[in-house]
Amino acid sequence: MSDRRLVRFAATSARVVAGAAVATAAVVGTVAGIAAPWPAYTAEPVRVQATPAPSDTVLACDGPLLALGRSADAANSLSAAAAQQVVSGPADASASTSSLTGATDGDDGAAEALRAAPRDGTQTPLAAAGSATAVSDDLTGFAASACRVPLAESWLVGGASTTGSNDLVVLANPGTVPATVQLSVYGAQGVSNPPGGSNLVVPPGERRVVPLAGLLLGEESPVVRVVASGAPVHASLQTSLTRVLLPGGSDQVAPLAQADERLVIPGVQVVTTGEGQAGTVLRLLAPGADATATVTMVPLDAAAAAPEPRSVPLTAGLPTSLDLSGVAAGAYTLDISATAPVVGGAWSTTGFGEGADFAWYAPAPAFSSPGVIAVAPGVGAQVVIAGAPSDATVTLTPVDGGDALSIPVAAGASAAAPVAAGVYRLEADVPVRAAVSYTVAGALASYPLWPADAAASAVTVLP
């Protein structure tokens, strides 16, 4: 081998050895770098905390009782059958009143809407309720209801679309922009989205009425879901019944804000069983999933024996009815616990002959802080309190002056106290649920009491 070739061989060998050494060093460095702790850097997101400005307090009332098809040449026309008497307050809320029109051709079918501007950085407490008595050949009965805040979603549990029923879904928009409403009806065949309940436009300051039979005909136990976009609406259900050409009562059914795993319905009256007919019925629906509901009846009379709790299997999307009229006559609080969110309501009647009336009882949310409530005019008015696991004391103070009424409620029990029409401040030392109930011969009505919206709390915005 020549000297030149030896030099080239030695140079090449050196380059190979150096390259291998560099590669080895790179691998070792990389492994060591991965294993070694790296510098930590944490970026705190920007947080902006803001308190929304309080909005006006807005309430919409159910308005007068309506009659459908009284005109022979306009079978689908609506007319006012009985005016609604409304009480509202407190007076220092300085609430303005406007009319929600559109239900009938005349002004006699308008309902009241109330609006109070915020005070001292919080929403103004405001409550209102109304009642109406119909006495005519085609519509009778006493109805009472509270004026409610409009909701983006609500549920109506009550009524029927079978022969003899003449029920109306009433949608009210007390806002300033149009609302578009979708109605879904749950019945024996599950949920349906009828064309007559799709894309219903309710103009601001107006009401729109949809016959329940036009949504789902021949349904014994319907449940209606109301979803509004553009603006929230106040939904209610006017129910009336005719038995062999004799009117059998009427009512205005309060909405539920949402499904829940626990429902409490205070003050359900068990008056009569009839002859082979159920005088008191509980209707339940599990809209999302199969469930089992346990129904406990707590008598308002502390000396009365409580019936055994009953278990009810619920199939998702199918309303289920439970006959409760086999218990002793009296007033009860229904406590329903379910394994999945449910909606429900109870129906009771004073009888099945001429001059009878009925009422639908809706679940009541919990009062966890003081608020104002309204008691509509009517004979036999009572505030019914469903207590908590511990003893409670509820105080009702007239907002316009007068003596306060104290109602003690034992743990797990319910109590009732007669009250006059007006507006009261309700305070309880533990969370309770409450309703206003009316029970006299030939007249039955009830509505749950809702706590007022709390002042808007601070929210955290992450840009």
Side-chain angles (χ1 to χ4, degrees), residues 3 51 79 116 140 150 159 162 167 177 181 200 218 281 298 325 396 443:
D3 293 341
T51 300
S79 57
T140 63
T162 51
D167 298 350
V177 297
V181 178
L200 302 175
V281 177
V298 180
S325 53
L396 294 176

Side-chain angles (χ1 to χ4, degrees), residues 115-201:
R115 181 182 296 269
R119 278 188 318 204
D120 301 327
T122 60
Q123 283 190 314
T124 300
L126 180 65
S131 60
T133 302
V135 182
S136 59
D137 293 338
D138 61 343
L139 186 67
T140 63
F142 173 73
S145 60
C147 304
R148 304 290 187 197
V149 296
L151 301 172
E153 179 182 1
S154 52
W155 297 80
L156 299 172
V157 182
S161 58
T162 51
T163 302
S165 299
N166 198 2
D167 298 350
L168 307 170
V169 177
V170 183
L171 307 171
N173 178 7
T176 57
V177 297
T180 302
V181 178
Q182 313 292 336
L183 301 178
S184 303
V185 186
Y186 293 78
Q189 303 303 317
V191 62
S192 62
N193 299 292
S198 299
N199 298 321
L200 302 175
V201 177

